[in-house]
Amino acid sequence: MIQLRLVNENGTTVALPGIETVVTVADELADATAASLLGEPAEIDAANWRQVTREHAAALGGEKTVNGRNALARVGEHDARRYRVTRTTT
């Protein structure tokens, strides 16, 4: 058995309401399960963090201020392609 854990670019386990991001599967199902974790769950979490970053930028003044523009520049850093699945043998 292998435990798969979806982690973001900071190495933190992703937690999404109603979606399992830490699963234990048989060895032969590990690759398919890892691919599914990197699909929709990773994109949902990344989209959430992009929205949080946009709201933060708006609170800082958006395009009108230097701090707002700097915050908006960080929106692209939240990319699901930077997420990974860690594997632990159980």
Side-chain angles (χ1 to χ4, degrees):
M1 299 296 283
I2 295 178
Q3 183 184 63
L4 303 173
R5 180 181 305 267
L6 179 64
V7 296
N8 63 19
E9 64 269 10
N10 297 324
T12 305
T13 300
V14 173
L16 296 169
I19 299 175
E20 289 188 52
T21 59
V22 179
V23 294
T24 302
V25 296
D27 295 352
E28 56 272 0
L29 298 175
D31 291 336
T33 305
S36 70
L37 284 173
L38 287 171
E40 188 176 359
E43 187 53 48
I44 290 170
D45 190 63
N48 175 59
W49 284 109
R50 285 191 296 270
Q51 181 60 35
V52 167
T53 304
R54 283 189 198 95
E55 291 170 3
H56 177 71
L60 291 174
E63 291 288 335
K64 298 176 187 172
T65 65
V66 172
N67 288 339
R69 286 191 298 272
N70 288 342
L72 283 171
R74 300 196 71 163
V75 170
E77 291 180 10
H78 301 290
D79 187 351
R81 292 175 292 187
R82 298 171 80 185
Y83 286 42
R84 65 186 193 286
V85 173
T86 62
R87 297 171 184 239
T88 307
T89 305
T90 57

